[in-house]
Amino acid sequence: MRQRTVAMYMEIGCFVSCLCGWVLNCSTLATEYWVISESASVVLAAGDYYSNLWMDCVADTAGVSDCKYYPSMLDLPVFLHVCRALAIVSVIFGFWGAVLALIGMKCTKIGGSELANARVTFAAALTYLASGFSGMIVYSWWGNKTRSEFVDPYFLELKFELGAALFIGWGGSCLLICGSAVLCYFSGRESFPKRFNITPRRPPTYMTARTRRTYMLPGLSRPTTVIIPASHQSYIESRGSRATGGRRGTQESQTLRSVRPILPPIDSAV
């Protein structure tokens, strides 16, 4: 009972961690500050440039901002298409992971048996894990591209720096990966008990055709019991009794041979 209570609280903690990470990842899709650049080359005022997966924006010192969506989806680079796809996949996986976790957790009591609930929770953990890795790939790839362009001396276009959305996404992805990994471990122990509870194997033995007795292989010290048929057991007992009788007869003959006759003294005979 105590072990079940500990597992239930661990599931609740992992679910809360994964849910918070999923919410953080979802919030980055609506955030414009994936990359940001401060430039003073704008006419009459300094301006800030920032962009995300969907648009480019510019803001002046007066607080007026103007955003423009990317004009043509087919004209965009492959890098941007892949990042969009992975970000959406991360959100979808996180949603279905939450649904499966609510069905399979011990505290909800929605599913069927304990084994079925454990396997549903294990599937939810794997879904959350896929969501976390998808988000981590997006934010790490985007950040690496921004860094490489910033340190490249031959890159003549406007250079950007890492925005707040990337750090939020990294934090959310870490929460997803850590929570799903712990949830996967605890639910996997209940889903596949035979793989976690390994029983020791019996040592191999061999049997001779003459005696039908088993002997252990070299290097093994665990005895093995073998059942001998009743007919063979009676044959062994009769053979042993014969051997015992033969030994007794031999001993008696030896004792008779060793005893010498006692002769009367000469004086008494006279």
Side-chain angles (χ1 to χ4, degrees):
M1 185 66 183
R2 182 178 180 182
Q3 185 177 3
R4 186 180 184 278
T5 305
V6 171
M8 182 180 66
Y9 283 117
M10 289 299 298
E11 287 180 356
I12 294 174
C14 294
F15 173 73
V16 172
S17 174
C18 293
L19 186 63
C20 293
W22 177 69
V23 170
L24 291 176
N25 283 1
C26 291
S27 65
T28 58
L29 297 182
T31 305
E32 293 87 1
Y33 296 96
W34 281 55
V35 288
I36 186 171
S37 176
E38 296 181 0
S39 176
S41 61
V42 183
V43 180
L44 299 179
D48 296 336
Y49 293 90
Y50 49 92
S51 63
N52 61 357
L53 292 171
W54 320 104
M55 65 185 74
D56 287 329
C57 300
V58 60
D60 55 11
T61 55
V64 179
S65 61
D66 184 18
C67 295
K68 181 181 179 181
Y69 288 93
Y70 297 126
S72 175
M73 190 175 71
L74 298 178
D75 195 24
L76 296 176
V78 179
F79 161 76
L80 194 57
H81 284 294
V82 175
C83 287
R84 283 181 176 183
L86 287 176
I88 295 173
V89 166
S90 175
V91 173
I92 294 174
F93 276 160
F95 171 77
W96 287 111
V99 173
L100 293 174
L102 289 175
I103 294 175
M105 289 173 61
K106 293 180 176 59
C107 59
T108 56
K109 298 181 180 180
I110 298 177
S113 61
E114 291 287 338
L115 182 60
N117 287 345
R119 291 183 176 178
V120 172
T121 308
F122 184 73
L126 294 180
T127 309
Y128 269 136
L129 196 65
S131 175
F133 276 113
S134 299
M136 184 65 72
I137 291 172
V138 173
Y139 305 118
S140 300
W141 195 5
W142 194 288
N144 182 63
K145 180 177 179 297
T146 305
R147 183 202 60 82
S148 61
E149 290 178 353
F150 187 84
V151 299
D152 187 6
Y154 300 100
F155 186 75
L156 303 179
E157 298 181 7
L158 186 62
K159 295 184 178 182
F160 291 91
E161 298 180 4
L162 302 179
L166 295 180
F167 295 100
I168 295 173
W170 278 325
S173 299
C174 289
L175 287 176
L176 277 170
I177 293 173
C178 295
S180 61
V182 178
L183 184 62
C184 186
Y185 172 74
F186 279 93
S187 59
R189 291 183 61 182
E190 299 180 6
S191 302
F192 309 100
K194 294 182 179 180
R195 296 187 178 182
F196 284 88
N197 300 330
I198 302 175
T199 57
R201 297 181 179 179
R202 296 181 62 183
T205 59
Y206 65 93
M207 180 180 294
T208 60
R210 183 177 180 181
T211 60
R212 295 187 181 181
R213 296 178 182 177
T214 56
Y215 299 90
M216 292 182 296
L217 293 179
L220 299 172
S221 60
R222 185 177 177 180
T224 303
T225 305
V226 178
I227 300 175
I228 301 176
S231 59
H232 189 68
Q233 185 71 23
S234 60
Y235 171 74
I236 293 175
E237 293 177 356
S238 61
R239 186 176 179 182
S241 61
R242 291 175 185 174
T244 307
R247 290 173 190 159
R248 290 178 180 176
T250 305
Q251 290 178 359
E252 290 178 358
S253 61
Q254 288 179 358
T255 53
L256 291 175
R257 291 176 183 176
S258 60
V259 174
R260 298 180 180 179
I262 304 173
L263 299 176
I266 298 175
D267 298 336
S268 62
V270 174

